[in-house]
Amino acid sequence: MVYNSGTGEYKGFILKEEVFDAEMPQKTESIMCLGNGYMGVRSSNEEYVKEDSRGTYVAGTFNFMEGDEATELPNVPDVTNMLFTVGEETVSPDGNMANYEKTLNFKNGLLRRYFEWTSKDGKRLHLEFLRVVSLKDFHLICSKVNVTALDDCEIGLKSGIEGNVMHCAHFEPCGMNAANDVLQITAVTKESGIPFSVMTCHRFEINGVKIEPDFGVTSEHDLQIMANLAFSLKAGNTLTITKISNVFTGRDKERDGCDMPALVADASAHMASVKGRTLEDILEESAAEWDRRVWSVRDVKVDCDKEEYQLAVRFALYHLTIMAPVHDNRMNIGAKGLSGPGYKGHTFWDTEIFMLPYFIFTCPEEARSLIEYRYNSIGAARENAKKKGFEGAMFPWESAWLTDGEITPDKYKTGLQEHHITADVAVGVYYYYIVTGDEEFMERCGYELLFDTAKFWSSRLEYNAEKDIYEILCVIGPDEYKEDIDNNAYTNYLAQYNLQLAIHYYEKLKADRPEVYERLNEALGLDSAYAIWCDRVDKIYLPRENEDGLVPQDDTYLTLIDISRDGYVFSEHPHEVHEEVWKLGGLNKVMISKQADVMQLMYMFEDLFSAEVKKKNFYFYERRCIHDSSLSLSTYSALAADLGEKDTAITLFGRAAMIDMGPVMWSSHAGIHAASLGGIWQCVVLGFGGVRRYGENLRIEPNLPDNWNEVSTNIVWKGQTLALTVKQDGFTVKNLTGTKEVSILHKGELIPVGEALEIKY
Ligand code: IFM
C-alpha cells in the first residue's frame, strides 16, 4: 500500500495499491469500500477474480435466515460486475497484466483502477475503471470504464445485476425486468419481508461518440439479469461504458413499509432522472457533499514526520462517514460499518465508547441520531432485562433492528455476560449532553435512558452480606478473554457511574423541571428506584490498587499464571498465543488480555487513580495485552499520551493506524474495523490534541508527539464551532460561530476564548 501518492489538493487523501494481490483481493475491497451511510459497496473488481467477496449492504435491512445463528444484513444483488472477454479469453488481473494501480481518493470518494492486459494471442488492452457511490443521492452508484484497444480486438462484455453473491440466500426473488437499456431485479427478504429493487442502466460510446449496441439480455437464474454485448475495436479506439445503478428498499425512511409496486415506482422514477448523468457530474456533486459535510468542517490536518499518519486520520474520517447511517435514527453503526459481512452488521459498545466522541465533537446532530437509535430500541432492552430477571433497560451486547433485542450468536458468552454495554449507553448520553447542552433531547429521550439503565444496574447488583457491599458477578468485561468473572473493574465503576448520573438528574429534574420529573416518575417509578439507587450506590465494590499499586481487572486476574512477555516468546500473532495458552489451561487461566480493560477505565475516568498508579498499571497491563481486538491499541495510545509517555503513545498509534490500512492482508477481509477508526480520531484529537470533556468543561491539554509540528481541526462545543491548532509551543482556539462565549479549561484554569485565544507554553 502506498500512503503518499496524492498531489496538489489531493495530497494526503489518496490510498494506493500498486501490486494486485490475487490471494487477498478482499483487503482493498474493504479498505477502499465506497458508500454513504445508506449503503456500502465493497470495492471489488468489476471482473471476477478468485477469492473476491463482492458485497453491497444497505443499513438496517436485517433478515434472519432459518438455520443461521443471528439476524444479519443481506448482500444486495451486485451491480459492480463487468466481465470482458477478448475472443475466448476473459480479461482478468489474474492473467497477463502490467501497470496495475488501484486508488481511493478520500476527498471525493472516487475509486480508480487501471491496468494493461495482454491476451494469450498478444492482443493488448488498456483498461481504466472509475466508480463512485454518491454522498448526495444515497441510492446512486455509478461506474465508468474506458477500454482502449492497443491492437485490433473483438471484445465481449457481460454486465448487469448478479444476485448470486455470498449471503444472498436471504432473498426471495420477485421478478426481473429489461426495458430498453434498463435492467431491474426485485426481491424480498425472506423473514423480515423487506422489498428490494436494484436497477442498472448502461450507456456506450466509442471515442466519445454514443453507440446503441444490441443488449442481448439473458438470465441464468431468478436473481440475475445480464446484458451481453460485442464490440469491434480498432487499435487506438476507446470504448466507454457508463453504468448507472440504484438501490431502493422498503426499509428506507421515506418509504418505510411500502409494498413492491410503490417501491418499483420510486426506483423507476429515480432511474429515469439519473440515467442520463455522467460519472463526472455525479462525482462533482458528491465531492461537493464530501466537502460540505466532512472536509471543510471536520478535517484533521496533521503536519508530522510520517505521511501515513495524515492519511490514517483521513482514512478514519472517510470510513466514519460512509459507515454511519446517521440519516435514520432507527439504525446504528455495525462493527464493520457497511464494508463487509463481519459481525453481521451488528452494533456493539464500539459506537458509544469508540465512535460517538468523534460524532459528538464534530457533528452533534449525527451523534444524536446514533443515541436515538438506542432510545428507539428501549422496548427491546426492557424485554431483555425482564427475560433475564432484571429491571429497567438492559441493552443487548449485539444489536441489529430495533425490536430484535439480544442477537449475539449463542456460541458466544458475550451475549449473556458482557453487561457493561448498558452503562456504555448511559455514558454516551451524558457525554452528548455535556458537549451539546441539548436539553430538548434529554427531556425527550436522554433522561429516560439514564434512569432505565440505572434501574437495570440496581437490579443487577448482588449483595454480599458478609462484606456489606454490592458486587457484580459472572460477567465478561472489555477483556473478552476472561469469562464468568466477578467484579470486573470497568463494569463495576461504570455501573456506579450510571447510578450516580441517575441520582444527580433525578434530583435536578425534581427541583428544576417538575413536570418532566412527574412524567418520568409516573412512567418509570422513579421515586422508589431513587431510594434503591441511593442505598446501593456507595456500596458497590470498586477495585482499588493493591499494595503493589495494581488495580485488579477482576477478582481473579492477578492470581492467574503470569506469562508476561519478559522471558516468554510472545508472538504478535494472537492465534499462536492462543495455542501456547491452551497448553496452560486456556485463556481464563493466564494473565493475558485481549484488549484494554482496566486501561479503558483509566482512560475514560482519569481522576479515579493517581498518575503514578495509572502509569504503573499501564505498563503492567500493556505487557500482558496482545491487542487481539482492534479496539485496544488506540485506547492504550491515547492513555499513554495523557500520561506524557510520548514515545509509547506514538508507537502504539502507529500500530493502531495500520490495523486496516497496513500491510497485514487478512486483517480487513470481512470489513474495516469501525471502532478502531473512531479510536484513531480519538488518539489524534483527544490524545495528542488533548481535547477532553472534563466534568462539565471543555479541557484542552495537548500532548503532541515530538516529531509532530502541528494538528489542526474543528470541534463543536455547546453549538460553537471552535478551530483548534496545536503546535509544539502552544495552541490557538478560534470561535468560528461566535454566538456564545466559550471557556476552556487549561492547566486547571477556566479561560474565556472570546473570538480567539492563544496559549503559549
Ligand atoms: O465490541 C468488540 C469487542 O470489544 C471485541 N470484539 C469485537 C467487538 C466488535 O468490534
Side-chain angles (χ1 to χ4, degrees):
M1 226 52 80
V2 180
Y3 305 117
N4 61 354
S5 60
T7 54
E9 66 166 315
Y10 299 127
K11 190 168 161 42
F13 281 99
I14 309 267
L15 180 62
K16 176 155 91 175
E17 181 191 54
E18 280 185 322
V19 180
F20 174 62
D21 189 329
E23 296 306 312
M24 194 49 80
Q26 301 100 315
K27 175 82 173 184
T28 57
E29 290 179 0
S30 296
I31 68 174
M32 295 189 183
C33 178
L34 304 180
N36 51 30
Y38 169 82
M39 66 178 154
V41 181
R42 283 170 71 78
S43 287
S44 314
N45 298 334
E46 278 71 3
E47 65 284 2
Y48 291 89
V49 290
K50 192 170 63 102
E51 306 291 348
D52 81 6
S53 54
R54 54 192 62 234
T56 297
Y57 300 92
V58 177
T61 57
F62 292 101
N63 183 62
F64 181 74
M65 219 164 34
E66 216 33 61
D68 207 349
E69 44 187 15
T71 174
E72 70 179 354
L73 288 180
N75 190 355
V76 178
D78 170 61
V79 293
T80 62
N81 60 79
M82 287 193 208
L83 204 66
F84 293 95
T85 48
V86 172
E88 295 294 297
E89 212 178 319
T90 302
V91 176
S92 159
D94 281 342
N96 187 356
M97 195 234 334
N99 292 335
Y100 170 88
E101 190 173 294
K102 182 172 183 178
T103 56
L104 174 63
N105 184 337
F106 303 141
K107 188 142 199 232
N108 57 13
L110 177 67
L111 179 73
R112 177 169 184 257
R113 189 167 61 97
Y114 69 80
F115 59 87
E116 279 168 27
W117 180 85
T118 309
S119 71
K120 289 196 176 107
D121 56 1
K123 304 276 188 199
R124 291 164 306 142
L125 293 179
H126 181 281
L127 299 107
E128 181 192 34
F129 301 86
L130 303 166
R131 196 186 299 163
V132 63
V133 173
S134 174
L135 192 66
K136 177 75 180 170
D137 177 345
F138 283 175
H139 304 277
L140 185 56
I141 305 166
C142 179
S143 303
K144 178 175 170 177
V145 183
N146 293 309
V147 186
T148 303
L150 303 179
D151 301 291
D152 293 357
C153 283
E154 297 300 316
I155 295 182
L157 169 63
K158 184 169 183 172
S159 172
I161 307 172
E162 175 57 85
N164 189 9
V165 283
M166 61 176 176
H167 306 125
C168 62
H170 287 281
F171 288 111
E172 190 65 54
C174 295
M176 60 181 77
N177 195 11
N180 303 319
D181 49 355
V182 178
L183 308 176
Q184 181 179 39
I185 284 202
T186 52
V188 65
T189 53
K190 287 178 181 160
E191 173 261 350
S192 50
I194 305 168
F196 274 71
S197 159
V198 181
M199 299 181 90
T200 198
C201 169
H202 296 88
R203 228 171 38 230
F204 302 95
E205 287 158 50
I206 292 185
N207 298 335
V209 178
K210 188 169 181 208
I211 55 165
E212 295 195 3
D214 181 3
F215 277 81
V217 174
T218 57
S219 173
E220 288 159 20
H221 56 89
D222 285 351
L223 275 179
Q224 187 209 62
I225 187 162
M226 289 282 165
N228 297 271
L229 304 113
F231 306 91
S232 267
L233 286 192
K234 291 275 171 231
N237 283 355
T238 299
L239 164 69
T240 300
I241 303 128
T242 303
K243 184 174 181 183
I244 295 198
S245 313
N246 70 16
V247 177
F248 280 78
T249 91
R251 186 136 277 176
D252 301 349
K253 197 170 188 183
E254 47 297 354
R255 54 190 63 78
D256 185 32
C258 75
D259 61 11
M260 190 61 90
L263 186 72
V264 168
D266 280 2
S268 304
H270 177 265
M271 181 50 81
S273 72
V274 296
K275 63 183 277 218
R277 296 185 68 179
T278 62
L279 178 125
E280 290 72 18
D281 125 62
I282 292 168
L283 180 66
E284 191 182 327
E285 182 184 76
S286 183
E289 193 63 4
W290 271 104
D291 196 55
R292 187 188 71 79
R293 270 185 59 188
V294 184
W295 305 119
S296 68
V297 288
R298 43 181 148 164
D299 191 11
V300 180
K301 295 193 179 111
V302 175
D303 173 7
C304 72
D305 57 334
K306 291 202 173 137
E307 292 186 67
E308 63 253 42
Y309 292 160
Q310 171 66 86
L311 199 66
V313 70
R314 289 197 173 129
F315 177 79
L317 294 172
Y318 170 83
H319 278 285
L320 287 161
T321 306
I322 67 165
M323 71 171 70
V326 288
H327 59 285
D328 191 334
N329 65 8
R330 302 167 307 158
M331 297 167 193
N332 205 285
I333 306 175
K336 300 281 185 183
L338 295 165
S339 69
Y343 292 115
K344 300 176 181 293
H346 297 174
T347 294
F348 295 70
W349 72 314
D350 305 29
T351 295
E352 275 74 13
I353 303 302
F354 293 84
M355 293 179 270
L356 201 57
Y358 157 74
F359 288 101
I360 291 174
F361 269 125
T362 63
C363 186
E365 301 78 48
E366 294 179 357
R368 185 177 58 217
S369 179
L370 295 170
I371 307 174
E372 282 172 352
Y373 162 84
R374 294 295 189 187
Y375 183 72
N376 291 337
S377 66
I378 202 167
R382 284 177 179 142
E383 270 172 42
N384 192 29
K386 207 188 242 163
K387 213 158 51 190
K388 295 186 172 134
F390 303 120
E391 288 169 25
M394 177 186 190
F395 281 92
W397 175 242
E398 294 188 28
S399 62
W401 188 241
L402 300 174
T403 49
D404 286 347
E406 180 61 77
I407 39 92
T408 307
D410 287 345
K411 65 181 180 212
Y412 303 119
K413 273 191 173 173
T414 47
L416 296 172
Q417 297 188 355
E418 201 154 354
H419 294 173
H420 63 81
I421 175 72
T422 294
D424 301 326
V425 169
V427 166
V429 169
Y430 177 66
Y431 201 135
Y432 169 80
Y433 178 43
I434 297 305
V435 175
T436 62
D438 185 350
E439 198 59 55
E440 183 281 327
F441 163 81
M442 289 305 287
E443 294 191 3
R444 184 165 46 82
C445 323
Y447 293 125
E448 198 169 331
L449 281 166
L450 293 183
F451 294 143
D452 237 13
T453 48
K455 281 179 72 176
F456 161 71
W457 285 115
S458 54
S459 69
R460 177 64 180 81
L461 297 170
E462 287 172 54
Y463 187 58
N464 180 330
E466 203 181 305
K467 296 182 178 162
D468 188 26
I469 54 170
Y470 283 93
E471 300 181 292
I472 304 178
L473 308 179
C474 199
V475 294
I476 294 175
D479 174 8
E480 294 176 339
Y481 282 174
K482 305 285 171 269
E483 299 177 337
D484 314 304
I485 53 150
D486 297 337
N487 295 316
N488 167 252
Y490 178 89
T491 307
N492 285 24
Y493 276 95
L494 263 78
Q496 188 196 51
Y497 188 63
N498 200 159
L499 290 190
Q500 286 167 338
L501 290 174
I503 290 169
H504 173 72
Y505 285 109
Y506 169 93
E507 290 167 356
K508 192 158 183 279
L509 283 183
K510 201 169 176 183
D512 302 343
R513 298 282 293 143
E515 64 287 2
V516 180
Y517 153 77
E518 290 293 352
R519 168 171 62 82
L520 292 173
N521 185 32
E522 202 172 299
L524 306 174
L526 290 186
D527 286 346
S528 51
Y530 171 76
I532 300 172
W533 299 335
C534 291
D535 179 51
R536 298 186 180 179
V537 67
D538 293 328
K539 288 188 180 170
I540 297 178
Y541 168 62
L542 302 172
R544 296 298 309 176
E545 61 270 34
N546 62 17
E547 57 284 3
D548 298 324
L550 297 175
V551 178
Q553 183 174 298
D554 55 59
D555 280 357
T556 44
Y557 191 94
L558 296 180
T559 66
L560 302 177
I561 305 167
D562 188 0
I563 55 161
S564 57
R565 283 179 226 174
D566 301 335
Y568 185 86
V569 186
F570 231 47
S571 164
E572 285 293 315
H573 203 298
H575 299 291
E576 287 167 23
V577 177
H578 287 194
E579 266 176 40
E580 289 303 311
V581 162
W582 194 245
K583 295 178 203 151
L584 297 168
L587 289 162
N588 250 20
K589 297 274 185 254
V590 292
M591 239 190 250
I592 71 164
S593 303
K594 179 180 182 182
Q595 61 200 96
D597 188 309
V598 175
M599 291 309 106
Q600 191 63 47
L601 176 70
M602 290 185 174
Y603 169 56
M604 287 164 56
F605 296 90
E606 56 184 284
D607 289 338
L608 291 178
F609 302 98
S610 71
E612 193 193 335
V613 167
K614 282 193 281 190
K615 212 173 266 187
K616 174 142 207 184
N617 280 271
F618 179 93
Y619 286 109
F620 176 84
Y621 281 106
E622 209 283 320
R623 195 155 290 143
R624 288 157 183 82
C625 176
I626 62 168
H627 306 293
D628 188 10
S629 157
S630 65
L631 284 62
S632 190
L633 284 161
S634 59
T635 298
Y636 269 95
S637 169
L639 179 60
D642 285 357
L643 294 173
E645 300 290 285
K646 289 188 178 187
D647 291 347
T648 306
I650 193 67
T651 305
L652 294 167
F653 174 71
R655 290 173 62 193
M658 289 297 137
I659 286 173
D660 285 306
M661 234 176 56
V664 182
M665 292 311 279
W666 51 266
S667 61
S668 316
H669 61 287
I672 51 77
H673 298 81
S676 144
L677 298 168
I680 288 173
W681 180 89
Q682 290 199 41
C683 283
V684 176
V685 179
L686 307 191
F688 304 150
V691 172
R692 212 55 65 84
R693 171 196 67 74
Y694 183 74
E696 303 208 346
N697 290 309
L698 171 64
R699 193 189 61 197
I700 303 181
E701 215 73 82
N703 307 290
L704 219 50
D706 288 340
N707 292 334
W708 288 39
N709 298 321
E710 191 174 311
V711 169
S712 58
T713 193
N714 290 346
I715 50 169
V716 186
W717 179 263
K718 311 270 190 221
Q720 305 293 294
T721 299
L722 309 176
L724 171 70
T725 302
V726 177
K727 298 188 181 181
Q728 287 294 347
D729 62 351
F731 65 92
T732 57
V733 188
K734 281 190 193 134
N735 188 340
L736 302 180
T737 313
T739 52
K740 225 190 271 170
E741 181 57 87
V742 168
S743 292
I744 62 152
L745 198 60
H746 178 67
K747 298 217 181 300
E749 200 188 328
L750 207 52
I751 312 169
V753 169
E755 280 177 27
L757 170 72
E758 182 169 12
I759 302 278
K760 285 272 176 212
Y761 308 140

